[in-house]
Amino acid sequence: MRSLFILLLVVASTYCANLVAQTQHSRPKIGVVLSGGGAKGAAHIGVLKVLEKHHVPVDYVVGTSIGAYVGGLYALGYSAAQIEEIMLKLPWDNGYSDFIPRQQLSFENKKLRDRYNLTFHLGYSEGELKTPSGLLLGQSAGQLLKLSTDTVPQFTHFDELAIPYRAIASNIATSKMVVIEKGSISKAMRASAAVPGVVEPVKIDGQLLVDGGITNNMPVDVVKAMGADIVIAVDIGSPLLDKEDIGSTIDVINQLSNILTNTTTLLQKEHLSEQDILLRPAIDDLSTTDFSIMPQALALGEKIALSAQDKISQLTINLQEYEDYQADKNRKSQTWFDSFDKPVVSIVYQNNSNVSEVIIKEKFAIKEGDVVTKEALDAAINRVYAINEFEHVDAEFIDLPEGRQLILMTEKKSWGPDYLHFGFSLQSDFNFKSILALDVAYINNDITPNGGEWRNEAKLGWESSIATEFYQPIDKSQYFFSRSRIEFIQDKWEPTETRPELVNEHVLGNLGLGINYTGNGAIEFGFIGEKGKLSFKDEVSASLDYHSLGGYASFGYDNLDSINFPTQGNKLAINAFWRSDHYDDFEGVAPKDTSLEIQLDWRGAFSLNHHAFVGIASFATVENDSDFSVHVTELGGFLNLSGFQKDALIGVHKAFAAIVYQYDLGRELFGNASLPMYIGTSFEAGNVWTVNESVKLDDVISSGSLYLGTDTSFGPAVFGIGFASGGKSSVFISLGKSF
């Protein structure tokens, strides 16, 4: 009797399963097509929310650009509500820059960026100048997509997903549409949205892929080829501009893009039948690049779908069928969602660069046995990218029976290996001569197995210099290094009431050894030599020839987040020089002297919300046997006794301190996505003294400033007023470097 009951139960279960399968097979297959349209893509979420509300199953999903992003998340198994939470919380504006935060750079690269503050990419190799193939490299955008999709593995086919999925891209070499149907889903999303000329093409299977909107912005034909019987297509493409709205080159470029995408959309509409549903949200007036409009776009997507609910409700299935459909999706997606908690069993480094794998492993800092979260992976990739030798850094998982395999891929810069760097600064107080400086460097990289660099630098302007330097890491990890440098320098000081213009033209050479004791600091020591001529430019006063030999030691630490408007971190430099100085025959100056020079410079900052507090201190002194030295220090300029012109005060002893308060007015008024605008004030005190003068508190000059500034692609731009005790004041402007 029991056996008969079990047999009947099996037969009944089989019958029910077959009935469900037949029911599912008998209903029409529904495909969703999500078009491209930038930030307006949040409208797709509104449509999906309405489909879920009406229990409409989605059997296939195909997307272009932002549609590939939303569609990819939905295909992975995320609900419309989950996609809304992910998409609206993501810092999309970060994707507009591949700028490595200063505090993540190595100590040596921080110094390089501070001097060469113009942030464009230019290289030279094979007899020609080279630039990247896009204004953006796509690194930051790719990281945002990875944070969205979490640590999902590569897929042998996108039919394996909870919903079969395709992403549409364009082959920039052939102008043909490319249907991406396997591999990394985040990479497929990135390729589908890579705007030509703005973002670098994405390499997949040997093809250079860009935005799919060029060839098929609303791929109805693709979803029908997958097997969809009924198509729900969402069109969020931008309308053409009216003639009176076309007034600039940017307008013309946008119009050309709109013509291409609209043309492909019109062709795709011809594939729609009467039973298909075309939804066009009222998003024409919304921006494609301002992601703050996403909540508005989402509401408009929901509104247009609700207006078509009569047709949508015809696709509704009963509650049991819909629950079975959702259970099947969840079962599929759970297979890779569950893998998120599995440890890494092996790590593969695909290093297409000359950077030592030892360094890459140390920066990546993920070990076998680790359970890797999306946040940990994002931080690890950023650490590797901050080496500043790569065009792209990416990582993918492959789920194996024994655990997760993690593959890290590093791609060298295509415009290297030799690079041109440029720096610029302009400072003026509108009374004296404006001080303009242009810095240029040509750096040969990887000229030795350990990553040696040959740097050739020049500074043009009021003061000038030319230098060549060889920087040689001694070991694979680049902890130890040697440095040899020779430089011709022309220092100048404006005339004062007591002396004419002073010029020091000298050749300076040094040879040293050092250790990068952390990524933020280095210690260096070595030998130094100098030969020069100190003269007054009045053609009357005598000049002084000199030379010196000695040694030096330096200590540096730097984790400051910005050299211009810091909000956190510290920058400390301590230098000591021991010299034997020799002076040619000059009245009142001993022919030979020994000196000890010590320099200390510190800048630190911390912040509370939009308020930042900065401390600045500097000290310099020369101890010698006579009352003269050519080794001088300066004061004067913005945040350096702001009431004086830059480097107006010179001497051998210096003491200076300042407290700076700055308020980020731009982020308060316009939000975190805006260009920062700082309003600040400083309280400063200090002075310089000659060799035979005693440092006295009575001599200290008090000073201060009020200023308005912002950070730009060429460094800080500051306008303000400075004042100092004794009635001195100045109105100043500073562009570019101000240190």
Side-chain angles (χ1 to χ4, degrees):
M1 190 68 171
R2 184 181 178 188
S3 299
L4 179 61
F5 177 75
I6 293 173
L7 179 62
L8 290 173
L9 201 61
V10 171
V11 171
S13 300
T14 304
Y15 174 77
C16 290
N18 290 336
L19 184 62
V20 170
Q22 290 172 6
T23 302
Q24 290 178 342
H25 183 71
S26 61
R27 71 168 176 80
K29 296 293 184 180
I30 300 169
V32 169
V33 176
L34 306 177
S35 65
K40 296 182 287 186
H44 295 321
I45 303 173
V47 173
L48 294 175
K49 291 177 76 171
V50 173
L51 296 183
E52 290 181 351
K53 180 180 178 181
H54 286 78
H55 294 170
V56 175
V58 176
D59 301 292
Y60 309 101
V61 60
V62 181
T64 297
S65 194
I66 194 68
Y69 170 77
V70 177
L73 291 178
Y74 204 60
L76 281 171
Y78 293 105
S79 67
Q82 289 172 319
I83 298 172
E84 178 182 0
E85 183 177 7
I86 292 170
M87 192 170 178
L88 268 60
K89 286 185 176 180
L90 213 61
W92 287 99
D93 289 318
N94 291 354
Y96 291 139
S97 173
D98 295 301
F99 190 76
I100 300 171
R102 184 182 185 277
Q103 62 268 39
Q104 294 183 10
L105 292 170
S106 69
F107 183 73
E108 202 67 26
N109 276 329
K110 287 186 180 82
K111 292 193 296 183
L112 193 68
R113 178 183 289 182
D114 291 346
R115 180 167 183 179
Y116 303 103
N117 54 304
L118 300 181
T119 56
F120 53 84
H121 305 297
L122 182 62
Y124 181 85
S125 63
E126 299 172 345
E128 61 178 332
L129 293 173
K130 293 183 177 181
T131 61
S133 52
L135 296 176
L136 297 174
L137 305 179
Q139 178 69 26
S140 297
Q143 291 300 95
L144 290 176
L145 298 178
K146 281 195 173 299
L147 286 172
S148 299
T149 58
D150 215 319
T151 59
V152 294
Q154 289 189 343
F155 296 94
T156 55
H157 204 283
F158 290 158
D159 284 348
E160 300 172 6
L161 300 180
I163 302 173
Y165 162 77
R166 303 289 186 270
I168 305 302
S170 305
N171 188 321
I172 193 65
T174 65
S175 75
K176 302 294 184 183
M177 177 183 73
V178 176
V179 180
I180 307 174
E181 56 185 20
K182 64 179 180 178
S184 164
I185 194 166
S186 63
K187 195 170 186 179
M189 294 173 176
R190 183 157 62 92
S192 184
V195 179
V198 177
V199 181
E200 280 207 327
V202 178
K203 294 179 183 179
I204 296 180
D205 297 333
Q207 303 176 98
L208 291 177
L209 303 184
V210 296
D211 196 329
I214 297 173
T215 52
N216 197 342
N217 199 47
M218 196 175 71
V220 175
D221 57 344
V222 176
V223 81
K224 288 203 168 190
M226 292 175 71
D229 301 307
I230 296 176
V231 174
I232 302 172
V234 187
D235 176 18
I236 60 166
S238 298
L240 295 179
L241 298 173
D242 293 330
K243 180 175 68 174
E244 56 270 18
D245 295 327
I246 304 174
S248 68
T249 303
I250 298 297
D251 293 335
V252 172
I253 293 173
N254 287 337
Q255 186 76 332
L256 288 173
S257 175
N258 294 340
I259 289 171
L260 286 172
T261 55
N262 286 349
T263 300
T264 65
T265 299
L266 287 172
L267 292 173
Q268 288 300 309
K269 287 180 180 178
E270 296 178 1
H271 293 283
L272 295 172
S273 63
E274 291 185 0
Q275 64 180 351
D276 297 327
I277 301 172
L278 175 63
L279 302 175
R280 171 72 184 178
I283 41 74
D284 287 357
D285 294 331
L286 299 184
S287 169
T288 59
T289 57
D290 181 5
F291 285 89
S292 67
I293 59 93
M294 288 196 297
Q296 186 179 351
L298 191 153
L300 292 172
E302 192 168 0
K303 182 178 180 180
I304 192 66
L306 288 172
S307 71
Q309 61 184 333
D310 288 345
K311 294 189 70 173
I312 288 175
S313 61
Q314 295 176 19
L315 305 177
T316 298
I317 58 178
N318 65 53
L319 180 59
Q320 184 59 53
E321 288 179 313
Y322 192 72
E323 287 179 350
D324 291 341
Y325 159 80
Q326 291 284 32
D328 184 58
K329 279 178 54 182
N330 293 338
R331 177 185 56 80
K332 291 177 180 177
S333 61
Q334 208 60 40
T335 59
W336 51 83
F337 288 165
D338 284 345
S339 69
F340 294 171
D341 296 327
K342 294 180 179 178
V344 172
V345 296
S346 66
I347 302 176
V348 177
Y349 294 91
Q350 295 181 358
N351 179 25
N352 184 24
S353 76
N354 292 325
V355 179
S356 168
E357 193 171 296
V358 173
I359 298 174
I360 294 173
K361 286 181 177 180
E362 179 183 336
K363 295 294 184 182
F364 195 48
I366 291 178
K367 305 291 191 300
E368 293 180 8
D370 290 349
V371 175
V372 182
T373 65
K374 63 180 180 181
E375 293 83 6
L377 182 63
D378 181 64
I381 291 175
N382 285 337
R383 286 194 301 270
V384 175
Y385 188 64
I387 295 173
N388 203 22
E389 293 287 342
F390 306 114
E391 190 160 353
H392 295 291
V393 178
D394 201 1
E396 296 290 346
F397 287 93
I398 296 178
D399 286 341
L400 305 172
E402 60 272 22
R404 311 203 80 186
Q405 183 181 74
L406 178 55
I407 303 172
L408 180 70
M409 296 156 282
T410 49
E411 185 74 25
K412 65 183 178 182
K413 294 177 180 178
S414 60
W415 62 96
D418 301 336
Y419 307 106
L420 285 159
H421 299 267
F422 299 91
F424 164 83
S425 68
L426 170 65
Q427 298 187 50
S428 175
D429 61 4
F430 303 102
N431 289 321
F432 297 95
K433 184 183 296 182
S434 297
I435 298 177
L436 174 69
L438 176 65
D439 292 282
V440 183
Y442 179 71
I443 302 180
N444 299 81
N445 288 275
D446 301 325
I447 59 177
T448 66
N450 289 341
E453 296 180 357
W454 182 22
R455 302 175 181 177
N456 295 281
E457 302 172 288
K459 179 180 180 180
L460 307 173
W462 164 243
E463 297 181 318
S464 59
S465 66
I466 186 169
T468 185
E469 175 180 306
F470 180 59
Y471 179 84
Q472 169 59 39
I474 296 173
D475 59 330
K476 288 288 185 183
S477 62
Q478 297 189 355
Y479 286 137
F480 300 96
F481 63 87
S482 66
R483 187 195 311 272
S484 54
R485 180 181 180 89
I486 186 167
E487 180 174 15
F488 170 78
I489 305 170
Q490 184 188 64
D491 289 326
K492 288 184 179 181
W493 295 275
E494 288 277 9
T496 67
E497 295 177 356
T498 59
R499 59 163 174 79
E501 179 183 314
L502 180 62
V503 178
N504 185 10
E505 296 177 319
H506 57 288
V507 176
L508 183 66
N510 66 276
L511 178 64
L513 295 172
I515 178 172
N516 293 303
Y517 64 92
T518 74
N520 292 321
I523 298 172
E524 185 176 341
F525 58 91
F527 301 99
I528 188 169
E530 186 174 0
K531 182 178 177 60
K533 180 178 182 179
L534 188 66
S535 60
F536 294 102
K537 289 301 181 182
D538 61 355
E539 299 181 357
V540 176
S541 304
S543 61
L544 171 66
D545 293 317
Y546 68 93
H547 67 274
S548 65
L549 291 173
Y552 71 93
S554 67
F555 170 87
Y557 179 83
D558 186 352
N559 69 344
L560 208 61
D561 62 343
S562 169
I563 195 67
N564 307 315
F565 301 103
T567 60
Q568 62 180 2
N570 290 275
K571 183 178 186 293
L572 175 65
I574 303 174
N575 300 303
F577 304 90
W578 297 267
R579 297 185 179 96
S580 175
D581 297 315
H582 299 264
Y583 302 110
D584 287 355
D585 186 24
F586 192 85
E587 184 179 353
V589 177
K592 186 175 181 181
D593 195 8
T594 58
S595 64
L596 169 62
E597 180 182 7
I598 297 175
Q599 303 169 347
L600 183 149
D601 290 283
W602 168 79
R603 180 172 296 204
F606 70 94
S607 62
L608 298 170
N609 297 321
H610 300 304
H611 308 271
F613 302 88
V614 183
I616 303 172
S618 59
F619 170 82
T621 188
V622 174
E623 296 295 331
N624 60 2
D625 297 328
S626 69
D627 59 358
F628 176 82
S629 176
V630 294
H631 311 297
V632 296
T633 185
E634 303 101 351
L635 267 179
F638 176 50
L639 299 184
N640 198 33
L641 284 188
S642 299
F644 291 83
Q645 185 190 17
K646 181 176 172 59
D647 298 343
L649 306 177
I650 61 172
V652 296
H653 306 300
K654 176 177 71 173
F656 174 79
I659 297 175
V660 183
Y661 165 77
Q662 62 191 30
Y663 181 73
D664 194 341
L665 185 66
R667 294 182 189 272
E668 175 70 18
L669 293 178
F670 310 118
N672 288 332
S674 68
L675 186 70
M677 182 181 297
Y678 302 95
I679 183 169
T681 184
S682 66
F683 302 93
E684 310 160 25
N687 204 346
V688 298
W689 294 265
T690 61
V691 173
N692 56 359
E693 282 186 302
S694 298
V695 176
K696 300 177 183 178
L697 288 178
D698 292 344
D699 297 332
V700 171
I701 301 169
S702 59
S703 181
S705 68
L706 292 171
Y707 62 88
L708 183 68
T710 186
D711 249 336
T712 70
S713 59
F714 55 84
V718 181
F719 176 79
I721 58 173
F723 45 87
S725 54
K728 290 193 67 69
S729 64
S730 65
V731 178
F732 60 83
I733 184 171
S734 176
L735 300 176
K737 298 174 295 180
S738 60
F739 51 91

